Amino acid sequence: MKNFAFVRARSVKEAVLSLGTDWNEAAVMGGGTDLIGEMKNYVHTPNKVVNLRAVPDLKYIKQDGNLIKIGALTSIAAVETDTLIKSNFAALSKAASLVASPQLRNMGTIAGNICQRPRCWYYRDSGIECLRKGGRLCYAMVGENKYHAVLGGLGCYIVHPSDTAVSFTAFDAKIKIAHPDGEKEVNIEEFFVLPEDDLNRENILKPNEIVTEISVPIPENGTKSTFIKVQERGVWDFAVAGVAVSLKLDGNRCDKARIVLGAAAPIPWRSLDAEKELEGRTINEETAQRAADASVYNNMPMTGNAYKVQLFKNIVKRAILELV
Ligand SMILES: Cc1cc2nc3c(=O)[nH]c(=O)nc-3n(C[C@H](O)[C@H](O)[C@H](O)COP(=O)(O)OP(=O)(O)OC[C@H]3O[C@@H](n4cnc5c(N)ncnc54)[C@H](O)[C@@H]3O)c2cc1C
Ligand code: SF4
């Protein structure tokens, strides 16, 4: 591992002021479960690491009016087990419960989970300079791509690796971001970016910005949600395909739907076409199938991942029918 300076920030202000304007200058660390791996493997070699763990008041899950607010340093395990989350956001607590292993869920923070870097094997190989790392080629396009994107992957075909980000998107979460001049809040759908907008990064964060909080509106009465994840191994594995579905129901009639695919695209992929197939309709085998088919409209499989298209249709249908 390359030598680096270590800053133990005592406040959010100190953290953002310690970061630089260049990604190689400094990296922010939550639990370090992703960052340290990248540094050990020379995938990312910042000169400085700014550790957030000593910053007070960034670890909480609390209700504020109709919002549930989650501090950036809250562990994934706490999100999994918290009763406020379980009772309001079943799809989020289920997604958190399926992240990695108990050790990683205890160590990993919720902000680190949504900000983790891609798992594309070419990206994770320090000897390969692919497009995302400033090189000239996407090696997945012509190489091994069985886990890569079937939607939204123009230029780079990573899938976003975070399970919790998929559920947060289904609940219209907002992300609070601190920067040297103050803070701002954005909708989660504005937070993640496609390769066509930024080929090198997965979200809008600048090198000297950090996530401080994720807030989620409490769903309207009658809302039910679920999360399904397909893994190659039974546990401790990233998703091959995932889906979070949240439905506001009146009996079996769907008033509002959110359907978000995970491991389908470089961002958590909200499928508006699938949602339209459900809203205003009674949920049954037929409508669930139509939504499932619509969930992958415009898919563009690569040489080795066409199997994922049918997989998504299956889990979308299963998730919808689970809720009625
Ligand atoms: C073997 C293994 C299996 C895994 N399986 C899964 C899985 O199934 N599902 C899943 O979702 N994840 C999985 N992960 C990823 C794991 O969940 C992440 O490593 C973890 O969530 C990262 O959290 P952290 O706090 O340790 O982040 P760190 O390692 O500290 O940081 C991760 C990235 O986020 C940035 N970052 C951290 N905190 C902030 C912040 N507050 N603001 C801005 N940027 C920040 C860092 O600079 C870094 O780039 C797996 C990881 C491993 C090693
Ligand atoms: S999919 Fe993206 S990260 Fe992977 S090789 Fe292609 S450009 Fe690089």
Side-chain angles (χ1 to χ4, degrees):
M1 192 190 268
K2 193 184 98 170
N3 284 341
F4 58 90
F6 190 74
V7 175
R8 199 159 173 261
R10 300 276 175 184
S11 66
V12 168
K13 191 81 184 167
E14 187 190 348
V16 290
L17 290 175
S18 303
L19 292 164
T21 50
D22 185 296
W23 288 109
N24 290 325
E25 214 174 313
V28 63
M29 184 170 93
T33 61
D34 183 33
L35 179 67
I36 298 298
E38 279 206 311
M39 291 171 66
K40 274 187 177 166
N41 293 332
Y42 291 88
V43 175
H44 185 34
T45 52
N47 296 324
K48 192 198 292 178
V49 168
V50 179
N51 186 10
L52 292 181
R53 290 198 89 93
V55 177
D57 305 328
L58 279 185
K59 203 188 259 190
Y60 54 83
I61 298 175
K62 63 185 181 196
Q63 183 164 359
D64 181 4
N66 78 330
L67 295 175
I68 302 294
K69 297 184 168 181
I70 309 174
L73 287 182
T74 307
S75 71
I76 300 163
V79 173
E80 171 190 355
T81 52
D82 183 82
T83 48
L84 272 177
I85 305 275
K86 270 193 176 159
S87 56
N88 290 294
F89 312 107
L92 177 58
S93 101
K94 195 162 173 209
S97 77
L98 292 169
V99 168
S101 63
Q103 293 90 336
L104 285 158
R105 293 198 290 277
N106 281 325
M107 199 63 199
T109 63
I110 198 68
N113 188 258
I114 68 165
C115 296
Q116 61 176 297
R117 302 306 314 273
R119 286 280 154 180
C120 168
W121 34 44
Y122 300 108
Y123 169 82
R124 292 275 164 170
D125 186 329
S126 63
I128 293 178
E129 280 290 307
C130 70
L131 264 178
R132 182 157 289 265
K133 292 192 284 186
R136 299 181 60 194
L137 272 181
C138 169
Y139 292 90
M141 247 182 96
V142 288
E144 295 290 334
N145 49 40
K146 74 184 265 202
Y147 301 123
H148 285 73
V150 291
L151 289 158
L154 208 60
C156 165
Y157 299 85
I158 57 157
V159 292
H160 200 281
S162 166
D163 290 320
T164 65
V166 178
S167 290
F168 278 125
T169 305
F171 292 119
D172 300 326
K174 286 188 194 299
I175 312 292
K176 195 181 271 184
I177 297 168
H179 51 81
D181 302 320
E183 59 180 22
K184 62 185 173 188
E185 195 168 51
V186 298
N187 293 328
I188 194 158
E189 287 185 69
E190 298 162 49
F191 181 72
F192 293 110
V193 289
L194 284 167
E196 63 195 65
D197 297 317
D198 187 343
L199 200 47
N200 308 114
R201 307 296 306 179
E202 298 77 59
N203 56 55
I204 58 167
L205 289 177
K206 303 270 185 308
N208 57 2
E209 293 183 333
I210 64 169
V211 171
T212 54
E213 184 182 88
I214 305 172
S215 63
V216 206
I218 293 175
E220 294 167 83
N221 283 342
T223 301
K224 288 185 182 176
S225 69
T226 190
F227 177 84
I228 293 178
K229 172 174 174 177
V230 179
Q231 297 158 273
E232 211 160 53
R233 275 195 311 241
V235 287
W236 199 2
D237 208 357
F238 288 91
V240 171
V243 65
V245 176
S246 167
L247 303 179
K248 180 178 179 303
L249 297 165
D250 181 359
N252 278 4
R253 199 190 113 97
C254 174
D255 290 338
K256 181 179 164 192
R258 283 284 183 280
I259 299 179
V260 185
L261 307 183
I267 58 172
W269 188 263
R270 186 169 160 206
S271 182
L272 297 169
D273 292 318
E275 292 171 8
K276 273 193 216 130
E277 290 292 343
L278 296 185
E279 287 177 351
R281 299 209 167 100
T282 299
I283 308 277
N284 53 33
E285 277 277 327
E286 198 189 323
T287 45
Q289 185 63 56
R290 276 213 300 269
D293 292 341
S295 70
V296 283
Y297 271 167
N298 297 325
N299 68 79
M300 286 189 298
M302 304 172 81
T303 50
N305 67 0
Y307 74 98
K308 287 177 83 167
V309 174
Q310 186 59 44
L311 200 51
F312 280 114
K313 290 184 188 178
N314 292 350
I315 59 173
V316 169
K317 182 177 178 188
R318 186 144 54 90
I320 294 167
L321 292 176
E322 208 181 275
L323 297 177
V324 293

